[in-house]
Amino acid sequence: MIKFSDLKLNPKVLKAIEEAGYESPTPIQAGAIPPALEGRDVLGIAQTGTGKTASFTLPMITMLARGRARARMPRSLVLCPTRELAAQVAENFDTYAKHVKLTKALLIGGVSFKEQDTAIDKGVDVLIATPGRLLDHFERGKLILNDVKVMVVDEADRMLDMGFIPDIERIFGLTPFTRQTLFFSATMAPEIERITNTFLSNPERIEVARQATTGENIKQGVLMFKASRKDREATEKRKVLRALIDAEGEKCTNAIIFCNRKMDVDTVAKSLKKYGYDAAPIHGDLEQSQRTRTLDGFRAGSLRFLVASDVAARGLDVPAVSHVFNFDVPSHAEDYVHRIGRTGRAGRDGTAIMICTARDEKNLADVERLVQREIPRLDDPLGGGKPAEAAKPAAPEAEAQAEKPKRTRSRSRKSDDKPKVEAEVPKPVVKAETPEPETKVEGVSPPEPKIEAPEKTDPPKQQDRNNNNRSRNNSNNNNRGGNNDRGGNKVVGLGNHTPDFIELSFEDRQKA
Ligand code: AMP
């Protein structure tokens, strides 16, 4: 087996690797580091979780340890599709270059130009940037790219999805023809192939197995979900999500919950919070400072549930995520691979659970084709086929009750400000004969069979059924409810067919 010490890395880099606790290089590292150190172009087909960041940072630090940067002329450039990924790459440089004197600057949007200008003016060895912000600096005449010796393009397929390819081509054109290029992509779409053919010179191509097709350590499962009524789908889907989370119990130490649309990211996060789950949203429309705060909290373990869009979460390295919940089946099958790659990292076990509506079945078929396996079907944690309180056409009031907070799972909140138990509707019973598939087959264990008595009604809360008192019930969380969380702003006078947008809060309507 190849050892790090076989790879001709700078001894100070080897020391940092040892301190990071890595025993041996991952396949992408063993494949990419030697040609990179020889000055060759590298085409790495690998996704996050494979150790690809170190596969370019380690040789870069080794190469850059010699020589010094000149003002405004960075010696190397790393392009990342998102701010979070750029920040993460910067952290990797800090970790692996801690015994080497290297300067770096992070050029990302949402941060003032002034600080970034100052850093560039001093001269940097490594410039880590998102394409748009880099070009902004270039256009302001603050940056000269003629001295770039190594250029990295990270997550090129995401750059493609985000429409950055023209920017990337332009940046390639601004750097010297003689530069070395290290190019990484999880997939090789035709457009990516074209770019690599144009800008890479006789690259060493290293392809590592896709985590989703080989990730024996990720248990996968999908719940086929059908709402009792079309107009209840959103509400019931969120309820099912909570039941799936609850069914995982203590095993679920933390999780990323993916939604396809930003609006749903907000709604799901709000709804979870309302039910006492420790959740916060992250997506591209949020302030950078808020995104950073949320992410830091999640990494530090003070936030348990991160509700995310694909773009915001792409490439995030949070080493110990126990679960990924796909609230929606992603519309691009590739995203499934990226999403579930957030869990089961660096050899740990992980669980990936998805909710699939009838509308998503085509997307599910695409995902299964891509990962070349059938994702095991899960039993409905709310009683399998026996519609979540919904077979019986519940009165809007009963529905509101059923959607009301049941109990909190927040770590931080004190128990006395938890929403109290009040559900009037008996909790549907999970079939006791539910078979327990062995985890070997990579299905997710179904929820423990349990027979539950109807939950006790908390007498004082009964008055909450009165609309006038509802907001008080939720005031702990300062949450007036999402568009379908009818515990909040119930619109009266439109029967059961209130269009979703009418039920949006004022803030949500502005965002929408
Ligand atoms: P990446 O694919 O770059 O996002 O890395 C995924 C995770 O693997 C990160 O948490 C790294 O710290 C970790 N990692 C990278 N290289 C190694 C290695 N050789 N051994 C163990 N863990 C590693």
Side-chain angles (χ1 to χ4, degrees):
M1 195 214 282
I2 298 180
K3 297 199 288 285
F4 274 114
S5 54
D6 299 331
L7 294 180
K8 301 195 177 129
L9 291 162
N10 181 310
K12 291 179 178 165
V13 174
L14 287 176
K15 188 165 176 236
I17 294 171
E18 201 183 318
E19 286 165 3
Y22 302 165
E23 283 168 11
S24 52
T26 63
I28 186 77
Q29 291 163 0
I33 294 173
L37 285 173
E38 285 168 18
R40 291 193 51 197
D41 283 359
V42 168
L43 170 56
I45 304 166
Q47 58 165 313
T48 46
T50 55
K52 73 173 167 57
T53 318
S55 77
F56 62 82
T57 46
L58 301 177
M60 280 174 83
I61 298 165
T62 298
M63 294 187 283
L64 294 168
R66 298 180 293 260
R68 260 195 65 63
R70 286 184 281 165
R72 294 192 194 173
M73 297 177 82
R75 298 162 70 205
S76 68
L77 183 58
V78 182
L79 295 174
C80 303
T82 63
R83 302 163 187 183
E84 280 77 16
L85 188 58
Q88 208 164 279
V89 169
E91 273 172 32
N92 270 258
F93 271 102
D94 288 342
T95 306
Y96 306 131
K98 66 179 183 184
H99 304 300
V100 181
K101 205 166 169 317
L102 272 194
T103 51
K104 66 167 176 34
L106 186 59
L107 304 190
I108 53 176
V111 179
S112 89
F113 277 95
K114 199 158 167 285
E115 261 174 60
Q116 299 178 349
D117 283 344
T118 315
I120 300 170
D121 281 347
K122 282 195 206 141
V124 288
D125 296 304
V126 187
L127 195 59
I128 303 157
T130 47
R133 187 44 85 100
L134 181 95
L135 287 171
D136 286 346
H137 277 277
F138 181 80
E139 274 153 18
R140 293 162 76 242
K142 296 284 180 187
L143 193 58
I144 303 161
L145 296 173
N146 295 347
D147 201 30
V148 170
K149 302 204 167 45
V150 187
M151 171 164 156
V152 177
V153 179
D154 197 12
E155 307 229 342
D157 49 338
R158 176 52 50 160
M159 302 266 198
L160 175 67
D161 290 350
M162 295 172 75
F164 287 155
I165 294 300
D167 286 352
I168 299 295
E169 290 192 70
R170 188 161 165 228
I171 297 166
F172 266 125
L174 297 172
T175 58
F177 178 66
T178 50
R179 67 157 199 270
Q180 177 183 8
T181 309
L182 310 175
F183 191 101
F184 292 84
S185 185
T187 56
M188 287 302 285
E191 184 67 355
I192 304 279
E193 193 92 47
R194 181 184 70 75
I195 300 284
T196 57
N197 291 340
T198 312
F199 296 103
L200 271 63
S201 155
N202 185 28
E204 175 81 22
R205 184 180 168 121
I206 302 114
E207 183 158 2
V208 301
R210 216 179 264 290
Q211 212 173 15
T213 50
T214 58
E216 307 296 323
N217 56 335
I218 303 179
K219 287 190 287 175
Q220 300 172 53
V222 59
L223 178 77
M224 308 309 285
F225 163 74
K226 188 165 184 320
S228 62
R229 266 176 29 181
K230 185 108 191 59
D231 60 338
R232 299 219 176 101
E233 182 175 301
T235 321
E236 289 179 6
K237 200 174 171 192
R238 289 193 292 272
K239 185 177 173 110
V240 159
L241 172 69
R242 295 193 298 276
L244 288 168
I245 292 172
D246 290 350
E248 290 298 295
E250 296 296 308
K251 283 184 287 173
C252 179
T253 51
N254 60 350
I256 304 181
I257 298 161
F258 283 98
C259 304
N260 288 359
R261 299 180 312 160
K262 285 178 209 166
M263 202 178 132
D264 289 335
V265 168
D266 278 330
T267 312
V268 169
K270 253 189 198 175
S271 163
L272 283 172
K273 261 202 320 221
K274 181 170 109 182
Y275 285 87
Y277 295 75
D278 185 21
I282 185 165
H283 60 69
D285 287 352
L286 298 171
E287 289 281 319
Q288 182 59 31
S289 57
Q290 190 184 344
R291 286 161 70 171
T292 308
R293 221 174 25 248
T294 301
L295 208 51
D296 286 350
F298 190 63
R299 281 215 181 92
S302 55
L303 174 71
R304 187 170 171 220
F305 296 104
L306 184 69
V307 188
S309 64
D310 288 290
V311 169
R314 183 64 169 259
L316 289 187
D317 178 32
V318 184
V321 175
S322 71
H323 284 62
V324 163
F325 291 92
N326 283 304
F327 185 70
D328 303 302
V329 179
S331 39
H332 299 293
E334 290 293 341
D335 283 334
Y336 180 76
V337 178
H338 288 284
R339 289 179 180 188
I340 76 161
R342 309 299 89 219
T343 182
R345 309 197 80 169
R348 291 183 177 87
D349 286 338
T351 304
I353 297 176
M354 182 153 66
I355 304 175
C356 178
T357 63
R359 229 186 2 264
D360 294 331
E361 278 173 21
K362 192 190 153 297
N363 289 338
L364 177 63
D366 289 346
V367 166
E368 292 186 321
R369 201 169 310 117
L370 180 73
V371 301
Q372 293 167 19
R373 71 160 62 131
E374 192 192 2
I375 301 171
R377 278 19 180 196
L378 299 176
D379 288 332
D380 184 345
L382 290 174
K386 272 181 250 149
E389 56 260 345
K392 45 182 171 75
E397 219 172 65
E399 184 198 0
Q401 285 288 320
E403 253 272 284
K404 272 192 205 162
K406 179 164 56 86
R407 63 193 155 107
T408 184
R409 297 184 59 93
S410 166
R411 283 175 181 173
S412 53
R413 216 169 277 136
K414 289 201 200 91
S415 57
D416 53 4
D417 53 9
K418 285 174 188 175
K420 300 257 177 0
V421 171
E422 80 320 277
E424 208 180 40
V425 182
K427 206 171 176 192
V429 169
V430 175
K431 281 177 277 166
E433 68 274 20
T434 308
E436 280 244 20
E438 250 306 302
T439 49
K440 264 193 249 108
V441 297
E442 293 184 52
V444 180
S445 330
E448 299 286 318
K450 59 184 169 202
I451 313 251
E452 298 210 8
E455 284 185 29
K456 247 193 359 203
T457 304
D458 194 354
K461 289 276 165 189
Q462 280 194 344
Q463 58 185 324
D464 284 342
R465 256 178 288 151
N466 176 338
N467 274 342
N468 295 334
N469 285 329
R470 273 200 192 127
S471 58
R472 205 189 311 154
N473 193 32
N474 293 326
S475 63
N476 291 333
N477 301 314
N478 192 22
N479 187 318
R480 279 178 280 148
N483 52 346
N484 280 291
D485 288 324
R486 299 191 178 179
N489 303 328
K490 180 77 190 113
V491 177
V492 290
L494 289 174
N496 291 334
H497 304 288
T498 319
D500 277 0
F501 75 90
I502 287 184
E503 297 204 348
L504 286 176
S505 70
F506 177 70
E507 294 90 320
D508 280 344
R509 242 177 279 158
Q510 288 208 314
K511 267 187 228 147

